Amino acid sequence: MAINFEQALGIHPQTLAVRAKRAEVIASNIANADTPGYKARDMDFKTALVQASQKQQSGMTRTHAKHFDVRSELNNGVQFRMPDQPDTGDGNTVDAQVERNLYLENSMQYQASLQFLTGRIKGLKKAITGQ
Amino acid sequence: MSLFNVFTISGTGMSAQSVRLNTTASNIANADSVSSSIDKTYRARHPVFAAAMQKAAAGQEDSSVGVKVLGVVESNKPLTVEHNPGHPMADKDGYIYKPNVNVIEEMTNMISASRSYQTNVQLAESAKNMLNKTLQLGK
């Protein structure tokens, strides 16, 4: 079996990208916790991950400045959150406590993916040095 | 790189909350500033927040939404008019005008603003940790 860096790292690089994007979305919610009319959003992780892993094949190279940029960004899984409390008085649906916990959870999952990646890279290093 | 955007977003959150803290401080400081005419009396002021969409590159959806301060509005609640002819600031009919600042409301506003500020600082802190761990990747 030939060593293929794309396959050696598995799904983890895409997972990291999606987790980073989700951190951004949740950070937006927390920053706007006091903004009237702001609607909390989150990512559907499954959709986002599927899109992120398909992105590698679907990217097209632009050879001319007037070509359209068809590379899609990884934020298509972003959707509005169903609020627990329908009317807060100012139209804001952010629950700061929930968002903070989700941010923490997402950050731990990000670090878990990093651990997996580190394991894969260590494995590759071992294979390269052969010791 | 999305994680760097977290710094931008929490930064906008921090500056918006500090504007809110500023106006609260100004309201509390002026809660007892009496004057001798309605026009010159201090009025409670509050910032208006709005979501700031950041369209960085063309074709990119805005998943990162910071917050911005649209402006500071003065409250139009009625002022407190007091009949106090002995007061040095009293007008010719003996009335003084007190600001429409509700100190209790301002105190709760202050606590809420400082909590939100802290939350934003913690966001930046944890994004920093995530980035640091990423830099250590494979070591």
Side-chain angles (χ1 to χ4, degrees), chain A residues 8-19 49 112-118 120:
Chain A
L9 299 180
I11 191 96
H12 302 302
Q14 285 86 22
T15 316
L16 273 190
V18 175
R19 291 281 174 216
L49 188 60
S113 288
L114 278 181
Q115 288 286 335
F116 287 130
L117 262 181
T118 310
R120 298 281 177 114

Side-chain angles (χ1 to χ4, degrees), chain B residues 77-100:
Chain B
K77 276 187 206 156
L79 301 172
T80 316
V81 185
E82 195 180 297
H83 185 64
N84 192 348
H87 198 281
M89 294 291 279
D91 64 3
K92 61 180 186 331
D93 299 320
Y95 287 104
I96 55 169
Y97 300 91
K98 290 182 167 176
N100 54 359

